[in-house]
Structures are given as C-alpha cells and as structure tokens.
Amino acid sequence: MRVKGDTWSAHLQRSLPAVAAIFSDEILLREEALADYLKAADTQGFSAHERLYQQDEPWERLRDERDALTLFAEKRCLILQLDQLKLSRTATNALAHWLAAPVEMARLCLVGPRPDAGQQKSAWFRDLEKHATVLILYPPNAQEWPQWVGRRLQQAGLEADDSAQHLLCELTAGNLLACQQAILRLREFAGTRIDAATVRELLADDSRFTVFELADAALRGEVERIDHILDRLRGGDAEPVLLLWALHRDLRLLLRLQSEDVTTLCREERLFPPRSQWLRRAAARIPARTLWEALASCAAIDARIKGQDPSPPWPALGTLALRIAAARP
C-alpha cells in the first residue's frame, strides 16, 4: 500500500506496519520520514534499532533474522539502507522471504532513493507495494519552493517578512538540506522575527554557491584546490551534511550519465553549462566501480556526521572529494 507524505505520521501512530519502505532522492526528506518511523516504533515497543547496509550484502543475514527472530522476546526494528534499487536475485529473494511471513516481534523498514518508472514496475517492487506500506517523497518544484520554505519557517517558530523569505529562497535555491540548516541557524542566532538584512548577515557565507565549490572542484579533477576549499569551508562553519549532500548528489548523477540518455537527463535535472559539461567529463573519466565505492563511503561519512561513528567527518569528506577528483579510467 502506498501512502502520502502528509498522512505518514498519522498512519504510523495507528499501527507500525510489519514492513515499511521510505524512498526519496532527498536525504532530508528520507531522514525526517525515518525519524517519524523510529519515534512511532519506540512508542509501540520496538525500541531496539539496527541498520543493515546494501553494500555489506546483508541478504543471507536478512533471511536468517526473519527465521530466527521468533526466538527473541525483544521487539526490534531492522533498517535496510539501499543505495540503489537495481537489486540482485539474491536480494529480491531475501526480501520476498521476509514479505511472505513477517515476524511478529520485528519490523523491517527499507530506506533508499526514489524508484524510477521502470523500477516501480519490477516484480520485487510490486510485491513490496502489495505487502508493505510504501512512502515515496518528492522534493518541491520551483513553483512549490516558496511555500515549502514558508512552512519550514513556521514550523521553526520564525516570522519572516516577504523580503527575508524571498532571499532565503534564493540563497538555498532548491537545496532542502541547505534551507533546513539555514532555518536552524536563524532560529539559534536571530530570534523569532527575521528580515532580509538578518538573513544576508547570517547566511551569505553558507550559500549553496560556496558550499558546492568542493563538489565542483572534485568534478573538474582539481586535486590541488580541494584541501584549500575544505579549510575555508571548515573555518567558515560550513555544515558537513551539506558537503556530503553535494558530493552524494553528484555521484548519483554521474552514474546516471553513464547509463542514461545524456540530453534527456540534463533537461530533466536542469543541468546547464558549465556544470553539465563538468559532469559529462567526470562521467567519462571516473569508472563506475569507483563511483559505487564512493557512494558506499557516503554512508560511512553520514554515520560520522550523525554521531553513530565517533570519528570526525571532515577528513573523510576530504578523502572522498580527492578520490573523485583523482579518479582515472
């Protein structure tokens, strides 16, 4: 069964589904939906959480857990993190095994990127929709962006005049993570009433055009500039989560450029020169295996940013950017 984003929380409060799935290309939307899921799980007694990662090939483990969990008294949730939705036969068989007979004492939640039209027609995805609660989240488009920003400001308890909201929309320019971080920073340092001067003063140094310089340098292969850019961003209190989002987004675009029609993709994603040219050259320069390995690194860095791994995220961000920049066929 597929549910809409505005009914997700209410649906979870009624009863935590035996199997759920959260799909979106936006990290912020995915993580917020997952946070709602885990909050509901805690209130319903499924307070033990464990993450399984696709790159670790957890399929045999998933089958074993489904068969063995009936022996455990503790209720718990398994979060299956998917980096991509082209699943192997082993993976789809393991998921089918779980869907055929979910365990009463366990809940399974899949989290991954948004499925395209072809993936939604695949047998495993149709089986998932038949037996699970599926949430697919889409980012606001250009026309919806001002309303989305306005709602986020209200949710944060901020009153922004029209000029302030307009400037915030421009500075974050469709970048959901950047916008949310900006709103949190405004709430922390600027009080509840916001004007354009306050937005400009607090956020100008963290606009997407500065934060994304690291990702652009990696695409262009400018190894010597990356350390300098990292030092500048770190000294300016840039958010590691925004840098990770930029690198992760470009890695996924590069993989798509290697397998899809370039002209169509550039039009759909609104990629224009010179950035579209940098992406095309990088897609030709970087092997697909390197891109998949880099995506796996993104998950490890994400764990550092969230405090699940005590290691600092900045060195790993630098290593990831250098890996992209230095990659050759």
Side-chain angles (χ1 to χ4, degrees):
M1 176 181 67
R2 190 177 298 194
V3 298
K4 296 181 179 180
D6 56 2
T7 66
W8 175 245
S9 295
H11 184 86
L12 295 175
Q13 294 303 320
R14 289 194 294 270
S15 177
L16 195 69
V19 182
I22 302 167
F23 298 114
S24 180
D25 287 336
E26 291 288 346
I27 294 176
L28 176 68
L29 299 182
R30 275 205 315 261
E31 290 301 318
E32 287 181 341
L34 179 59
D36 287 342
Y37 175 86
L38 293 178
K39 181 179 179 181
D42 288 342
T43 62
Q44 296 177 44
F46 295 88
S47 54
H49 310 152
E50 182 179 359
R51 288 206 186 215
L52 304 177
Y53 295 94
Q54 183 177 17
Q55 65 264 26
D56 294 333
E57 294 291 331
W59 314 118
E60 190 63 32
R61 166 80 186 281
L62 194 63
R63 294 178 68 96
D64 291 344
E65 290 284 348
R66 206 282 278 167
D67 293 337
L69 275 169
T70 53
L71 303 177
F72 291 90
E74 183 184 36
K75 291 183 176 181
R76 62 174 179 166
C77 292
L78 296 178
I79 312 302
L80 177 57
Q81 195 79 42
L82 300 173
D83 297 320
Q84 52 89 19
L85 302 184
K86 293 182 179 179
L87 303 184
S88 66
R89 183 177 297 275
T90 301
T92 57
N93 287 342
L95 288 175
H97 184 65
W98 191 292
L99 290 170
V103 183
E104 182 178 352
M105 298 298 289
R107 295 293 184 265
L108 175 65
C109 183
L110 283 64
V111 182
R114 178 172 60 88
D116 59 29
Q119 289 164 344
Q120 292 186 45
K121 294 177 182 177
S122 65
W124 79 265
F125 195 89
R126 291 199 305 269
D127 192 39
L128 182 70
E129 283 201 302
K130 182 178 178 181
H131 294 95
T133 298
V134 177
L135 175 67
I136 301 179
L137 296 168
Y138 299 86
N141 59 34
Q143 289 73 34
E144 298 166 337
W145 181 244
Q147 290 75 28
W148 190 89
V149 173
R151 286 195 299 271
R152 289 282 165 155
L153 286 166
Q154 289 182 344
Q155 291 168 6
L158 299 177
E159 296 182 26
D161 60 30
D162 290 343
S163 60
Q165 185 170 328
H166 179 73
L167 181 58
L168 181 58
C169 288
E170 286 189 345
L171 285 175
T172 53
N175 184 334
L176 277 67
L177 273 174
C179 184
Q180 184 65 14
Q181 291 292 333
I183 289 172
L184 293 176
R185 186 171 180 181
L186 286 167
R187 186 176 65 180
E188 182 177 0
F189 294 107
T192 58
R193 300 184 66 86
I194 309 299
D195 58 22
T198 303
V199 174
R200 188 175 293 107
E201 179 182 357
L202 284 178
L203 304 182
D205 288 341
D206 284 336
S207 71
R208 67 178 296 168
F209 303 107
T210 298
V211 169
F212 278 62
E213 286 181 10
L214 179 69
D216 290 343
L219 288 177
R220 294 192 297 264
E222 296 173 347
V223 174
E224 67 282 355
R225 290 194 62 216
I226 287 175
D227 283 338
H228 173 71
I229 293 172
L230 274 172
D231 287 341
R232 186 177 62 182
L233 292 174
R234 184 164 37 193
D237 296 325
E239 295 288 347
V241 66
L242 301 186
L243 301 179
L244 179 61
W245 181 89
L247 293 169
H248 183 273
R249 183 199 62 172
D250 282 355
L251 288 168
R252 298 202 65 84
L253 282 173
L254 291 172
L255 282 167
R256 292 181 64 189
L257 282 167
Q258 291 180 350
S259 60
E260 300 179 21
D261 179 74
V262 173
T263 302
T264 301
L265 178 60
C266 288
R267 182 176 63 252
E268 290 177 350
E269 298 294 334
R270 298 193 296 276
L271 302 174
F272 304 105
R275 181 167 164 74
S276 61
Q277 297 169 341
W278 301 338
L279 283 161
R280 290 188 188 201
R281 292 168 188 160
R285 171 174 59 84
I286 307 174
R289 179 174 180 177
T290 300
L291 294 174
W292 283 117
E293 291 172 348
L295 276 175
S297 298
C298 288
I301 296 172
D302 183 58
R304 296 188 184 198
I305 292 173
K306 294 174 180 173
Q308 297 165 351
D309 180 338
S311 306
W314 284 100
L317 281 167
T319 299
L320 176 61
L322 288 169
R323 185 177 193 174
I324 297 170
R328 295 293 184 273

